[in-house]
Amino acid sequence: ERHTDYFSAAMRAHHVATIVGLYSMYEKKGATVNIPNLLDAINKLPQVPQPVRDELAKWSAAATKTAKKISLIRNNVFGHKSKALTTDATYKKAGLTADELKHIIDQTRELLNFASSHIDSSGYHSTWNGTASAVRLLEALKTSNPSASEGV
């Protein structure tokens, strides 16, 4: 119970960072580093075979619907505060689900790994799983204050 405010604030901070981070990866501004510009650059490389380009285009197209939902939330809730839509109305209009967020994160990691492995054979390997970190944090909190562990 003692840490309830912390976890509430931490969850909100992670959510904001996820929305803003994904927005920046999928925005379509020409002068920024983002997935659409990466795919444009890849398509200009003569060594990238057409089947690889086609696969990357499929991944990009599949992410577009979710990216638009993320953009709506970022633009009306976090990047700017809409006068026309409340936060709740924006989330309802976007209709973004937790499964869609997880899917676009996983899909982005796969896309980056696939692209890098076909461009320079390096690959981007990420095996990070937040569960172990969260358990270690909870254990550390419980150890640091045993009397408060019932509320954690």
Side-chain angles (χ1 to χ4, degrees), residues 33-79:
V33 175
N34 55 53
I35 299 291
N37 287 341
L38 171 68
L39 296 178
D40 286 346
I42 289 171
N43 282 325
K44 292 176 184 173
L45 296 173
Q47 73 268 28
V48 178
Q50 190 59 45
V52 172
R53 295 171 202 236
D54 293 344
E55 189 65 27
L56 291 171
K58 277 196 271 183
W59 267 331
S60 179
T64 299
K65 182 179 176 184
T66 303
K68 286 181 181 180
K69 292 178 178 187
I70 289 166
S71 180
L72 179 68
I73 293 168
R74 183 267 180 196
N75 290 338
N76 289 289
V77 177
F78 302 123

mmCIF file of all heavy atoms in Angstrom, residues 33-79:
data_model
loop_
_atom_site.group_PDB
_atom_site.id
_atom_site.type_symbol
_atom_site.label_atom_id
_atom_site.label_comp_id
_atom_site.label_asym_id
_atom_site.label_seq_id
_atom_site.Cartn_x
_atom_site.Cartn_y
_atom_site.Cartn_z
ATOM 1 N N VAL A 33 14.621 10.649 -37.941
ATOM 2 C CA VAL A 33 14.952 9.226 -38.003
ATOM 3 C C VAL A 33 13.696 8.459 -37.615
ATOM 4 O O VAL A 33 13.179 8.617 -36.503
ATOM 5 C CB VAL A 33 16.116 8.898 -37.032
ATOM 6 C CG1 VAL A 33 16.392 7.404 -37.008
ATOM 7 C CG2 VAL A 33 17.352 9.687 -37.400
ATOM 8 N N ASN A 34 13.186 7.656 -38.527
ATOM 9 C CA ASN A 34 11.956 6.910 -38.268
ATOM 10 C C ASN A 34 11.878 5.698 -39.199
ATOM 11 O O ASN A 34 12.681 5.574 -40.129
ATOM 12 C CB ASN A 34 10.725 7.819 -38.412
ATOM 13 C CG ASN A 34 10.662 8.506 -39.752
ATOM 14 O OD1 ASN A 34 10.740 7.862 -40.790
ATOM 15 N ND2 ASN A 34 10.540 9.828 -39.741
ATOM 16 N N ILE A 35 10.928 4.835 -38.943
ATOM 17 C CA ILE A 35 10.783 3.604 -39.734
ATOM 18 C C ILE A 35 10.479 3.912 -41.204
ATOM 19 O O ILE A 35 11.111 3.324 -42.091
ATOM 20 C CB ILE A 35 9.701 2.674 -39.117
ATOM 21 C CG1 ILE A 35 10.071 2.252 -37.697
ATOM 22 C CG2 ILE A 35 9.435 1.465 -40.014
ATOM 23 C CD1 ILE A 35 11.232 1.326 -37.545
ATOM 24 N N PRO A 36 9.533 4.808 -41.519
ATOM 25 C CA PRO A 36 9.295 5.081 -42.946
ATOM 26 C C PRO A 36 10.555 5.561 -43.687
ATOM 27 O O PRO A 36 10.806 5.136 -44.823
ATOM 28 C CB PRO A 36 8.215 6.166 -42.927
ATOM 29 C CG PRO A 36 7.470 5.924 -41.656
ATOM 30 C CD PRO A 36 8.547 5.492 -40.680
ATOM 31 N N ASN A 37 11.354 6.422 -43.050
ATOM 32 C CA ASN A 37 12.583 6.889 -43.703
ATOM 33 C C ASN A 37 13.619 5.773 -43.823
ATOM 34 O O ASN A 37 14.363 5.712 -44.803
ATOM 35 C CB ASN A 37 13.172 8.083 -42.962
ATOM 36 C CG ASN A 37 12.354 9.345 -43.190
ATOM 37 O OD1 ASN A 37 11.574 9.442 -44.129
ATOM 38 N ND2 ASN A 37 12.512 10.313 -42.309
ATOM 39 N N LEU A 38 13.666 4.895 -42.828
ATOM 40 C CA LEU A 38 14.563 3.741 -42.905
ATOM 41 C C LEU A 38 14.180 2.867 -44.096
ATOM 42 O O LEU A 38 15.040 2.456 -44.880
ATOM 43 C CB LEU A 38 14.509 2.917 -41.615
ATOM 44 C CG LEU A 38 15.230 1.565 -41.657
ATOM 45 C CD1 LEU A 38 16.738 1.753 -41.764
ATOM 46 C CD2 LEU A 38 14.872 0.743 -40.430
ATOM 47 N N LEU A 39 12.898 2.598 -44.246
ATOM 48 C CA LEU A 39 12.456 1.750 -45.353
ATOM 49 C C LEU A 39 12.722 2.416 -46.704
ATOM 50 O O LEU A 39 13.103 1.733 -47.660
ATOM 51 C CB LEU A 39 10.978 1.396 -45.193
ATOM 52 C CG LEU A 39 10.662 0.561 -43.942
ATOM 53 C CD1 LEU A 39 9.173 0.287 -43.842
ATOM 54 C CD2 LEU A 39 11.455 -0.725 -43.918
ATOM 55 N N ASP A 40 12.550 3.740 -46.764
ATOM 56 C CA ASP A 40 12.880 4.458 -48.009
ATOM 57 C C ASP A 40 14.365 4.305 -48.323
ATOM 58 O O ASP A 40 14.743 4.078 -49.480
ATOM 59 C CB ASP A 40 12.526 5.941 -47.898
ATOM 60 C CG ASP A 40 11.034 6.195 -47.973
ATOM 61 O OD1 ASP A 40 10.275 5.279 -48.374
ATOM 62 O OD2 ASP A 40 10.611 7.309 -47.608
ATOM 63 N N ALA A 41 15.212 4.437 -47.311
ATOM 64 C CA ALA A 41 16.658 4.305 -47.510
ATOM 65 C C ALA A 41 17.022 2.888 -47.953
ATOM 66 O O ALA A 41 17.860 2.706 -48.844
ATOM 67 C CB ALA A 41 17.405 4.681 -46.235
ATOM 68 N N ILE A 42 16.391 1.904 -47.335
ATOM 69 C CA ILE A 42 16.654 0.508 -47.710
ATOM 70 C C ILE A 42 16.263 0.262 -49.158
ATOM 71 O O ILE A 42 16.977 -0.415 -49.900
ATOM 72 C CB ILE A 42 15.912 -0.463 -46.760
ATOM 73 C CG1 ILE A 42 16.566 -0.430 -45.381
ATOM 74 C CG2 ILE A 42 15.885 -1.877 -47.332
ATOM 75 C CD1 ILE A 42 15.781 -1.170 -44.314
ATOM 76 N N ASN A 43 15.132 0.830 -49.565
ATOM 77 C CA ASN A 43 14.677 0.626 -50.944
ATOM 78 C C ASN A 43 15.619 1.238 -51.975
ATOM 79 O O ASN A 43 15.578 0.867 -53.144
ATOM 80 C CB ASN A 43 13.260 1.179 -51.129
ATOM 81 C CG ASN A 43 12.223 0.239 -50.551
ATOM 82 O OD1 ASN A 43 12.372 -0.972 -50.609
ATOM 83 N ND2 ASN A 43 11.181 0.795 -49.986
ATOM 84 N N LYS A 44 16.488 2.149 -51.559
ATOM 85 C CA LYS A 44 17.457 2.769 -52.466
ATOM 86 C C LYS A 44 18.778 1.996 -52.534
ATOM 87 O O LYS A 44 19.632 2.300 -53.357
ATOM 88 C CB LYS A 44 17.720 4.208 -52.031
ATOM 89 C CG LYS A 44 16.507 5.100 -52.225
ATOM 90 C CD LYS A 44 16.759 6.487 -51.696
ATOM 91 C CE LYS A 44 15.475 7.320 -51.813
ATOM 92 N NZ LYS A 44 15.607 8.620 -51.156
ATOM 93 N N LEU A 45 18.937 1.009 -51.672
ATOM 94 C CA LEU A 45 20.171 0.224 -51.663
ATOM 95 C C LEU A 45 20.094 -0.873 -52.735
ATOM 96 O O LEU A 45 19.214 -1.735 -52.683
ATOM 97 C CB LEU A 45 20.400 -0.416 -50.292
ATOM 98 C CG LEU A 45 20.633 0.537 -49.127
ATOM 99 C CD1 LEU A 45 20.680 -0.241 -47.816
ATOM 100 C CD2 LEU A 45 21.914 1.334 -49.337
ATOM 101 N N PRO A 46 21.017 -0.871 -53.680
ATOM 102 C CA PRO A 46 20.942 -1.866 -54.757
ATOM 103 C C PRO A 46 21.180 -3.303 -54.286
ATOM 104 O O PRO A 46 20.708 -4.244 -54.924
ATOM 105 C CB PRO A 46 22.037 -1.418 -55.732
ATOM 106 C CG PRO A 46 22.948 -0.555 -54.941
ATOM 107 C CD PRO A 46 22.136 0.053 -53.837
ATOM 108 N N GLN A 47 21.879 -3.479 -53.163
ATOM 109 C CA GLN A 47 22.187 -4.838 -52.707
ATOM 110 C C GLN A 47 21.014 -5.527 -51.997
ATOM 111 O O GLN A 47 21.092 -6.718 -51.697
ATOM 112 C CB GLN A 47 23.431 -4.854 -51.810
ATOM 113 C CG GLN A 47 23.242 -4.275 -50.422
ATOM 114 C CD GLN A 47 23.577 -2.789 -50.326
ATOM 115 O OE1 GLN A 47 23.463 -2.061 -51.296
ATOM 116 N NE2 GLN A 47 23.987 -2.350 -49.144
ATOM 117 N N VAL A 48 19.942 -4.786 -51.728
ATOM 118 C CA VAL A 48 18.801 -5.381 -51.029
ATOM 119 C C VAL A 48 17.877 -6.018 -52.069
ATOM 120 O O VAL A 48 17.321 -5.332 -52.925
ATOM 121 C CB VAL A 48 18.037 -4.331 -50.190
ATOM 122 C CG1 VAL A 48 16.826 -4.947 -49.520
ATOM 123 C CG2 VAL A 48 18.963 -3.710 -49.159
ATOM 124 N N PRO A 49 17.692 -7.336 -52.006
ATOM 125 C CA PRO A 49 16.861 -8.029 -52.993
ATOM 126 C C PRO A 49 15.376 -7.655 -52.867
ATOM 127 O O PRO A 49 14.899 -7.301 -51.787
ATOM 128 C CB PRO A 49 17.068 -9.511 -52.692
ATOM 129 C CG PRO A 49 17.890 -9.602 -51.477
ATOM 130 C CD PRO A 49 18.300 -8.242 -51.047
ATOM 131 N N GLN A 50 14.668 -7.762 -53.956
ATOM 132 C CA GLN A 50 13.251 -7.392 -53.986
ATOM 133 C C GLN A 50 12.410 -8.156 -52.962
ATOM 134 O O GLN A 50 11.537 -7.563 -52.326
ATOM 135 C CB GLN A 50 12.678 -7.569 -55.400
ATOM 136 C CG GLN A 50 11.292 -6.969 -55.560
ATOM 137 C CD GLN A 50 11.252 -5.471 -55.275
ATOM 138 O OE1 GLN A 50 12.106 -4.725 -55.729
ATOM 139 N NE2 GLN A 50 10.278 -5.039 -54.483
ATOM 140 N N PRO A 51 12.629 -9.459 -52.740
ATOM 141 C CA PRO A 51 11.819 -10.157 -51.725
ATOM 142 C C PRO A 51 11.973 -9.546 -50.313
ATOM 143 O O PRO A 51 11.019 -9.516 -49.552
ATOM 144 C CB PRO A 51 12.346 -11.594 -51.758
ATOM 145 C CG PRO A 51 12.909 -11.758 -53.128
ATOM 146 C CD PRO A 51 13.466 -10.403 -53.492
ATOM 147 N N VAL A 52 13.164 -9.044 -50.003
ATOM 148 C CA VAL A 52 13.381 -8.393 -48.711
ATOM 149 C C VAL A 52 12.606 -7.081 -48.664
ATOM 150 O O VAL A 52 11.938 -6.770 -47.681
ATOM 151 C CB VAL A 52 14.885 -8.161 -48.452
ATOM 152 C CG1 VAL A 52 15.103 -7.310 -47.208
ATOM 153 C CG2 VAL A 52 15.612 -9.495 -48.318
ATOM 154 N N ARG A 53 12.666 -6.317 -49.734
ATOM 155 C CA ARG A 53 11.905 -5.062 -49.810
ATOM 156 C C ARG A 53 10.406 -5.323 -49.663
ATOM 157 O O ARG A 53 9.707 -4.585 -48.976
ATOM 158 C CB ARG A 53 12.163 -4.357 -51.140
ATOM 159 C CG ARG A 53 13.573 -3.906 -51.325
ATOM 160 C CD ARG A 53 13.752 -3.433 -52.771
ATOM 161 N NE ARG A 53 15.144 -3.480 -53.133
ATOM 162 C CZ ARG A 53 15.815 -2.444 -53.584
ATOM 163 N NH1 ARG A 53 15.230 -1.290 -53.750
ATOM 164 N NH2 ARG A 53 17.084 -2.563 -53.882
ATOM 165 N N ASP A 54 9.934 -6.366 -50.319
ATOM 166 C CA ASP A 54 8.501 -6.708 -50.253
ATOM 167 C C ASP A 54 8.093 -7.078 -48.832
ATOM 168 O O ASP A 54 7.027 -6.676 -48.360
ATOM 169 C CB ASP A 54 8.181 -7.860 -51.203
ATOM 170 C CG ASP A 54 8.344 -7.482 -52.675
ATOM 171 O OD1 ASP A 54 8.406 -6.260 -52.985
ATOM 172 O OD2 ASP A 54 8.436 -8.411 -53.503
ATOM 173 N N GLU A 55 8.946 -7.846 -48.160
ATOM 174 C CA GLU A 55 8.646 -8.249 -46.780
ATOM 175 C C GLU A 55 8.614 -7.035 -45.848
ATOM 176 O O GLU A 55 7.726 -6.905 -44.995
ATOM 177 C CB GLU A 55 9.686 -9.270 -46.295
ATOM 178 C CG GLU A 55 9.358 -9.906 -44.970
ATOM 179 C CD GLU A 55 8.109 -10.777 -44.996
ATOM 180 O OE1 GLU A 55 7.750 -11.314 -46.050
ATOM 181 O OE2 GLU A 55 7.464 -10.902 -43.923
ATOM 182 N N LEU A 56 9.558 -6.127 -46.001
ATOM 183 C CA LEU A 56 9.584 -4.913 -45.184
ATOM 184 C C LEU A 56 8.360 -4.050 -45.460
ATOM 185 O O LEU A 56 7.781 -3.468 -44.542
ATOM 186 C CB LEU A 56 10.878 -4.131 -45.439
ATOM 187 C CG LEU A 56 12.154 -4.793 -44.919
ATOM 188 C CD1 LEU A 56 13.379 -4.046 -45.413
ATOM 189 C CD2 LEU A 56 12.142 -4.887 -43.403
ATOM 190 N N ALA A 57 7.940 -3.983 -46.710
ATOM 191 C CA ALA A 57 6.738 -3.205 -47.062
ATOM 192 C C ALA A 57 5.494 -3.812 -46.412
ATOM 193 O O ALA A 57 4.615 -3.080 -45.948
ATOM 194 C CB ALA A 57 6.580 -3.147 -48.574
ATOM 195 N N LYS A 58 5.429 -5.137 -46.354
ATOM 196 C CA LYS A 58 4.285 -5.799 -45.691
ATOM 197 C C LYS A 58 4.256 -5.457 -44.208
ATOM 198 O O LYS A 58 3.200 -5.170 -43.645
ATOM 199 C CB LYS A 58 4.360 -7.323 -45.864
ATOM 200 C CG LYS A 58 3.810 -7.827 -47.163
ATOM 201 C CD LYS A 58 3.560 -9.323 -47.113
ATOM 202 C CE LYS A 58 4.807 -10.040 -47.543
ATOM 203 N NZ LYS A 58 4.666 -11.497 -47.591
ATOM 204 N N TRP A 59 5.412 -5.503 -43.548
ATOM 205 C CA TRP A 59 5.484 -5.158 -42.128
ATOM 206 C C TRP A 59 5.063 -3.713 -41.897
ATOM 207 O O TRP A 59 4.317 -3.404 -40.978
ATOM 208 C CB TRP A 59 6.885 -5.379 -41.585
ATOM 209 C CG TRP A 59 7.107 -6.719 -40.969
ATOM 210 C CD1 TRP A 59 6.166 -7.499 -40.356
ATOM 211 C CD2 TRP A 59 8.327 -7.432 -40.887
ATOM 212 N NE1 TRP A 59 6.738 -8.647 -39.903
ATOM 213 C CE2 TRP A 59 8.066 -8.637 -40.215
ATOM 214 C CE3 TRP A 59 9.612 -7.165 -41.313
ATOM 215 C CZ2 TRP A 59 9.043 -9.573 -39.955
ATOM 216 C CZ3 TRP A 59 10.592 -8.106 -41.055
ATOM 217 C CH2 TRP A 59 10.307 -9.299 -40.387
ATOM 218 N N SER A 60 5.541 -2.835 -42.761
ATOM 219 C CA SER A 60 5.195 -1.420 -42.627
ATOM 220 C C SER A 60 3.694 -1.203 -42.795
ATOM 221 O O SER A 60 3.066 -0.477 -42.023
ATOM 222 C CB SER A 60 5.967 -0.604 -43.666
ATOM 223 O OG SER A 60 5.623 0.752 -43.565
ATOM 224 N N ALA A 61 3.112 -1.838 -43.792
ATOM 225 C CA ALA A 61 1.670 -1.701 -44.029
ATOM 226 C C ALA A 61 0.860 -2.238 -42.851
ATOM 227 O O ALA A 61 -0.148 -1.647 -42.458
ATOM 228 C CB ALA A 61 1.282 -2.423 -45.318
ATOM 229 N N ALA A 62 1.322 -3.336 -42.276
ATOM 230 C CA ALA A 62 0.606 -3.930 -41.143
ATOM 231 C C ALA A 62 0.647 -3.026 -39.916
ATOM 232 O O ALA A 62 -0.282 -3.022 -39.107
ATOM 233 C CB ALA A 62 1.201 -5.294 -40.809
ATOM 234 N N ALA A 63 1.705 -2.239 -39.777
ATOM 235 C CA ALA A 63 1.841 -1.366 -38.609
ATOM 236 C C ALA A 63 1.087 -0.045 -38.765
ATOM 237 O O ALA A 63 0.843 0.654 -37.780
ATOM 238 C CB ALA A 63 3.323 -1.075 -38.361
ATOM 239 N N THR A 64 0.685 0.291 -39.970
ATOM 240 C CA THR A 64 0.095 1.607 -40.245
ATOM 241 C C THR A 64 -1.154 1.890 -39.421
ATOM 242 O O THR A 64 -1.297 2.979 -38.857
ATOM 243 C CB THR A 64 -0.211 1.749 -41.752
ATOM 244 O OG1 THR A 64 1.012 1.646 -42.473
ATOM 245 C CG2 THR A 64 -0.865 3.074 -42.063
ATOM 246 N N LYS A 65 -2.059 0.938 -39.311
ATOM 247 C CA LYS A 65 -3.309 1.158 -38.573
ATOM 248 C C LYS A 65 -3.027 1.481 -37.098
ATOM 249 O O LYS A 65 -3.569 2.435 -36.541
ATOM 250 C CB LYS A 65 -4.220 -0.068 -38.687
ATOM 251 C CG LYS A 65 -5.551 0.097 -38.005
ATOM 252 C CD LYS A 65 -6.408 -1.149 -38.186
ATOM 253 C CE LYS A 65 -7.704 -1.020 -37.419
ATOM 254 N NZ LYS A 65 -8.515 -2.242 -37.498
ATOM 255 N N THR A 66 -2.164 0.695 -36.478
ATOM 256 C CA THR A 66 -1.823 0.929 -35.072
ATOM 257 C C THR A 66 -1.043 2.228 -34.922
ATOM 258 O O THR A 66 -1.262 2.981 -33.969
ATOM 259 C CB THR A 66 -1.019 -0.261 -34.503
ATOM 260 O OG1 THR A 66 -1.787 -1.454 -34.682
ATOM 261 C CG2 THR A 66 -0.729 -0.077 -33.030
ATOM 262 N N ALA A 67 -0.147 2.518 -35.857
ATOM 263 C CA ALA A 67 0.627 3.759 -35.803
ATOM 264 C C ALA A 67 -0.294 4.981 -35.858
ATOM 265 O O ALA A 67 -0.045 5.989 -35.186
ATOM 266 C CB ALA A 67 1.648 3.794 -36.929
ATOM 267 N N LYS A 68 -1.362 4.912 -36.628
ATOM 268 C CA LYS A 68 -2.327 6.021 -36.703
ATOM 269 C C LYS A 68 -3.037 6.211 -35.365
ATOM 270 O O LYS A 68 -3.275 7.340 -34.935
ATOM 271 C CB LYS A 68 -3.336 5.784 -37.819
ATOM 272 C CG LYS A 68 -2.752 6.003 -39.194
ATOM 273 C CD LYS A 68 -3.785 5.776 -40.272
ATOM 274 C CE LYS A 68 -3.161 5.991 -41.642
ATOM 275 N NZ LYS A 68 -4.120 5.792 -42.728
ATOM 276 N N LYS A 69 -3.353 5.127 -34.684
ATOM 277 C CA LYS A 69 -3.986 5.203 -33.364
ATOM 278 C C LYS A 69 -3.031 5.837 -32.360
ATOM 279 O O LYS A 69 -3.422 6.690 -31.556
ATOM 280 C CB LYS A 69 -4.400 3.811 -32.885
ATOM 281 C CG LYS A 69 -5.522 3.194 -33.686
ATOM 282 C CD LYS A 69 -5.833 1.796 -33.185
ATOM 283 C CE LYS A 69 -6.982 1.164 -33.941
ATOM 284 N NZ LYS A 69 -7.390 -0.120 -33.351
ATOM 285 N N ILE A 70 -1.778 5.420 -32.417
ATOM 286 C CA ILE A 70 -0.757 5.971 -31.525
ATOM 287 C C ILE A 70 -0.582 7.468 -31.795
ATOM 288 O O ILE A 70 -0.479 8.267 -30.863
ATOM 289 C CB ILE A 70 0.570 5.203 -31.695
ATOM 290 C CG1 ILE A 70 0.419 3.793 -31.105
ATOM 291 C CG2 ILE A 70 1.743 5.942 -31.063
ATOM 292 C CD1 ILE A 70 1.508 2.837 -31.497
ATOM 293 N N SER A 71 -0.567 7.839 -33.053
ATOM 294 C CA SER A 71 -0.423 9.241 -33.442
ATOM 295 C C SER A 71 -1.576 10.085 -32.902
ATOM 296 O O SER A 71 -1.357 11.187 -32.386
ATOM 297 C CB SER A 71 -0.363 9.350 -34.972
ATOM 298 O OG SER A 71 -0.225 10.682 -35.368
ATOM 299 N N LEU A 72 -2.783 9.572 -32.989
ATOM 300 C CA LEU A 72 -3.952 10.291 -32.474
ATOM 301 C C LEU A 72 -3.807 10.555 -30.976
ATOM 302 O O LEU A 72 -4.041 11.677 -30.500
ATOM 303 C CB LEU A 72 -5.232 9.488 -32.748
ATOM 304 C CG LEU A 72 -6.528 10.098 -32.250
ATOM 305 C CD1 LEU A 72 -6.865 11.362 -33.028
ATOM 306 C CD2 LEU A 72 -7.664 9.095 -32.359
ATOM 307 N N ILE A 73 -3.378 9.546 -30.229
ATOM 308 C CA ILE A 73 -3.203 9.703 -28.777
ATOM 309 C C ILE A 73 -2.057 10.661 -28.478
ATOM 310 O O ILE A 73 -2.208 11.593 -27.682
ATOM 311 C CB ILE A 73 -2.976 8.331 -28.104
ATOM 312 C CG1 ILE A 73 -4.246 7.493 -28.203
ATOM 313 C CG2 ILE A 73 -2.548 8.502 -26.645
ATOM 314 C CD1 ILE A 73 -4.071 6.039 -27.837
ATOM 315 N N ARG A 74 -0.929 10.467 -29.118
ATOM 316 C CA ARG A 74 0.217 11.343 -28.867
ATOM 317 C C ARG A 74 -0.119 12.798 -29.190
ATOM 318 O O ARG A 74 0.178 13.704 -28.434
ATOM 319 C CB ARG A 74 1.416 10.875 -29.688
ATOM 320 C CG ARG A 74 2.682 11.681 -29.440
ATOM 321 C CD ARG A 74 2.755 12.789 -30.448
ATOM 322 N NE ARG A 74 3.939 13.619 -30.297
ATOM 323 C CZ ARG A 74 4.030 14.801 -30.856
ATOM 324 N NH1 ARG A 74 3.052 15.304 -31.563
ATOM 325 N NH2 ARG A 74 5.114 15.511 -30.707
ATOM 326 N N ASN A 75 -0.764 13.031 -30.326
ATOM 327 C CA ASN A 75 -1.040 14.396 -30.762
ATOM 328 C C ASN A 75 -2.105 15.095 -29.931
ATOM 329 O O ASN A 75 -2.065 16.315 -29.801
ATOM 330 C CB ASN A 75 -1.444 14.411 -32.230
ATOM 331 C CG ASN A 75 -0.284 14.094 -33.137
ATOM 332 O OD1 ASN A 75 0.873 14.243 -32.767
ATOM 333 N ND2 ASN A 75 -0.582 13.638 -34.334
ATOM 334 N N ASN A 76 -3.056 14.351 -29.367
ATOM 335 C CA ASN A 76 -4.164 14.978 -28.635
ATOM 336 C C ASN A 76 -4.057 14.898 -27.125
ATOM 337 O O ASN A 76 -4.777 15.590 -26.419
ATOM 338 C CB ASN A 76 -5.490 14.374 -29.089
ATOM 339 C CG ASN A 76 -5.853 14.807 -30.482
ATOM 340 O OD1 ASN A 76 -6.196 15.954 -30.709
ATOM 341 N ND2 ASN A 76 -5.723 13.900 -31.425
ATOM 342 N N VAL A 77 -3.165 14.042 -26.629
ATOM 343 C CA VAL A 77 -3.054 13.873 -25.174
ATOM 344 C C VAL A 77 -1.673 14.271 -24.656
ATOM 345 O O VAL A 77 -1.567 14.988 -23.668
ATOM 346 C CB VAL A 77 -3.373 12.415 -24.755
ATOM 347 C CG1 VAL A 77 -3.195 12.218 -23.264
ATOM 348 C CG2 VAL A 77 -4.790 12.039 -25.172
ATOM 349 N N PHE A 78 -0.606 13.815 -25.312
ATOM 350 C CA PHE A 78 0.735 14.015 -24.783
ATOM 351 C C PHE A 78 1.522 15.106 -25.497
ATOM 352 O O PHE A 78 2.202 15.896 -24.860
ATOM 353 C CB PHE A 78 1.527 12.705 -24.803
ATOM 354 C CG PHE A 78 0.852 11.613 -24.026
ATOM 355 C CD1 PHE A 78 0.532 10.424 -24.632
ATOM 356 C CD2 PHE A 78 0.526 11.784 -22.699
ATOM 357 C CE1 PHE A 78 -0.104 9.404 -23.910
ATOM 358 C CE2 PHE A 78 -0.116 10.784 -21.979
ATOM 359 C CZ PHE A 78 -0.423 9.594 -22.595
ATOM 360 N N GLY A 79 1.478 15.146 -26.820
ATOM 361 C CA GLY A 79 2.223 16.148 -27.562
ATOM 362 C C GLY A 79 1.573 17.515 -27.482
ATOM 363 O O GLY A 79 2.239 18.532 -27.395
#
